[in-house]
């Protein structure tokens, strides 16, 4: 009998859960409360209750090669950083290609998910839903995958802002911000310097009289565009993660200050670069330099249309306050004894499985805040979860899982500044490798260097793209190698919008030699058991690699 799996939510995580269920021979039924796919990335002028919502100008902060699903590259002609409408186009291409939409029940809200009376034996779930006509239904499923994300419930800490009840202007959460035009020639305060706060402050500053950007701690401001115009996230590879964090912070901070002196711009925080979720914004320094955005400290109090800041400064005649103060997450259809959430913390093994259930048939997908793209992470989690549902992969004991949960929470508390946004943080590559190891799809770099040196060097020293996790194991994709090796062609393609007789610069001989030395060292690290073999016959590996180096 085919196992039925309930997938709750039809956004990016929900789509990939449907697809992975089909890949594993499971029968997915997706419940989507709206009338379309896309979740967070589907712009709507009027936000729906308890649903994520974005403003019309949103452009994603991760480049297309790092955010795509691992067996479906984004079309080469799409820009490297995509507008939300293009992300929706990609999702539709994905859904159409794998015929996912027929498994979705639109306009259907999940009211309750509870364990069946025989859960201790069967591991099954009762799911109650209601459609747009008010008709309720009850369903039985062998497993449940929850894909509602963590941008549904705005965090509005009004109690931290005395006098807000006397404010004579308009205030709302960034979730409710859509366009800047209605605020032309007004004065605005944006509270929060995360990605939404920075984007909204920049956009408002183009039409308003003045924007004040209020931040308690400051922030390190990163660019989408890195050296030579390359998308910033394509510079990170596996080698970077071998650097001690303190050294990586120092190198990164020095580089960021070389572009924009954070102290001079009143942006510099007390915390280190990798102790807070980064803010990506190419335009903010320019808006500060032109005076259209002023960086201010935390707000002390409101009074009428005036705002007083912690440094004693006061600004008058404020028309708008935008609270870019993040979100909280919860699962209102789940009983608290199944999964409780407190202070934006949930006890989940590897951020996926509640560790105290009798059967691992409930998975939370996409409940992470990565330093990188969430789409490939959701896909990897889904690939793992479906293998667990089938019994192909086993979870450790409850005690071991609880220990892992506690260890991750303690490490997060040590690394990050205290904030409710820093409860589900993961580093993209280490976390992807961690889950991929459990699935059996982590790329074997030593084997690749020995058998396919060109590919091995690309995997080790190039961007850690999602395609790398389709080279081997369950779900292996025949197109993975080509997708990895043609990555830069897709990066360049949308930039070639006029004829040019300028040739691309040739690669020097020294850089490959340096990379070769690094690759050899890391290859040995990845396979310590083979160290003696390499010492006895080093020319075998060198002969295989040198044919891929340019001639002198």
């Amino acid at each position: 009998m085919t196992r039925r799996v309930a997938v709750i939510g039809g956004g990016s995580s929900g789509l990939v859960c449907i697809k992975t269920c089909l890949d594993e021979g499971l029968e997915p039924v997706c419940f989507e409360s709206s009338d379309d796919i896309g979740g967070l990335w589907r712009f709507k002028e009027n936000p729906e209750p308890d649903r994520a919502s974005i403003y019309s100008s949103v452009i994603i902060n991760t480049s297309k090669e790092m955010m795509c699903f691992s067996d479906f590259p984004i079309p080469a002609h799409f820009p490297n950083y995509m507008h939300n409408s293009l992300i929706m186009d990609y999702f539709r291409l994905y859904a159409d290609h794998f015929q996912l939409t027929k498994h979705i029940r639109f306009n259907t809200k999940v009211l309750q998910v509870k364990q069946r009376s025989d859960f201790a034996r069967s591991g099954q779930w009762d799911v109650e839903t209601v459609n747009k006509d008010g008709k309720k239904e009850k369903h039985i499923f062998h497993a449940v995958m929850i894909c509602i994300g963590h941008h549904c419930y705005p965090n509005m800490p009004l109690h931290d802002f005395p006098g807000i009840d006397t404010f004579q202007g308009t205030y709302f959460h960034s979730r409710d911000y859509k366009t800047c035009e209605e605020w032309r020639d007004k004065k605005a305060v944006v509270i929060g310097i995360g990605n939404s706060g920075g984007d909204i402050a920049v956009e408002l500053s183009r039409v308003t009289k003045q924007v004040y950007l209020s931040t308690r701690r400051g922030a390190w401001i990163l660019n989408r565009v890195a050296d030579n115009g390359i998308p910033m996230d394509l510079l990170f590879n596996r080698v970077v993660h071998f650097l001690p964090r303190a050294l990586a912070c120092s190198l990164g901070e020095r580089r960021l200050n070389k572009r924009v002196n954070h102290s001079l711009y009143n942006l510099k925080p007390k915390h280190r670069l990798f102790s807070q979720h980064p803010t990506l914004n190419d335009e903010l320094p320019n808006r500060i330099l032109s005076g259209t955005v002023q960086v201010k400290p935390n707000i002390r109090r409101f009074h009428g249309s005036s705002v007083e800041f912690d440094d004693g400064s006061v600004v008058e005649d404020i028309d708008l306050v935008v609270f870019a103060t993040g979100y909280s997450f919860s699962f209102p259809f789940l009983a608290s004894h199944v999964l409780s959430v407190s202070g934006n913390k949930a006890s989940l093994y590897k951020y996926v499985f509640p560790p105290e259930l009798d059967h691992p048939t409930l998975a939370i997908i996409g409940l992470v805040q990565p330093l990188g793209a969430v789409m490939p992470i959701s896909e990897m989690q889904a690939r793992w979860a479906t293998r667990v549902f089938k019994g192909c992969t086993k979870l450790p004991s409850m005690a071991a899982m609880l220990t892992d949960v506690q260890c991750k929470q303690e490490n997060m508390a040590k690394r990050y500044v205290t904030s409710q946004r820093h409860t589900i943080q993961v580093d993209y590559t280490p976390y992807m490798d961690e889950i991929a190891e459990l699935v059996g799809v982590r790329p074997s770099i030593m084997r690749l260097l020995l058998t396919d040196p060109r590919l091995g060097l690309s995997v080790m020293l190039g961007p850690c793209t999602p395609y790398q996790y389709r080279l081997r194991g369950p779900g292996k994709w025949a197109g993975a190698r080509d997708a990895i090796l043609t990555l830069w062609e897709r990066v360049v393609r949308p930039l070639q919008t006029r004829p040019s007789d300028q040739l691309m610069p040739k690669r020097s001989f020294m850089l490959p030699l340096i990379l070769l030395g690094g690759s050899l060292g890391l290859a040995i690290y990845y396979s310590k058991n083979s160290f003696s073999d390499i010492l006895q016959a080093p020319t075998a590996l060198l002969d295989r690699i040198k044919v891929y180096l340019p001639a002198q």
Side-chain angles (χ1 to χ4, degrees), residues 30 155 201 207 223 229 252 289 329 331 341 345 400 413-414 455 462 513:
C30 177
N155 175 46
V207 300
N223 289 42
L289 195 62
F329 62 83
F331 308 98
V341 178
K345 293 180 181 179
K414 291 177 183 177
L455 180 61
L513 283 179

Side-chain angles (χ1 to χ4, degrees), residues 461-476:
L461 302 172
C464 187
T465 55
Y467 320 122
Q468 297 184 7
Y469 301 97
R470 292 284 181 177
L471 290 169
R472 60 186 287 264
K476 180 180 177 180

Side-chain angles (χ1 to χ4, degrees), residues 35-47:
D35 60 359
D36 201 359
I37 63 172
L40 169 70
W41 293 102
R42 182 164 62 95
F43 171 74
K44 294 196 73 174
E45 190 69 39
N46 299 309

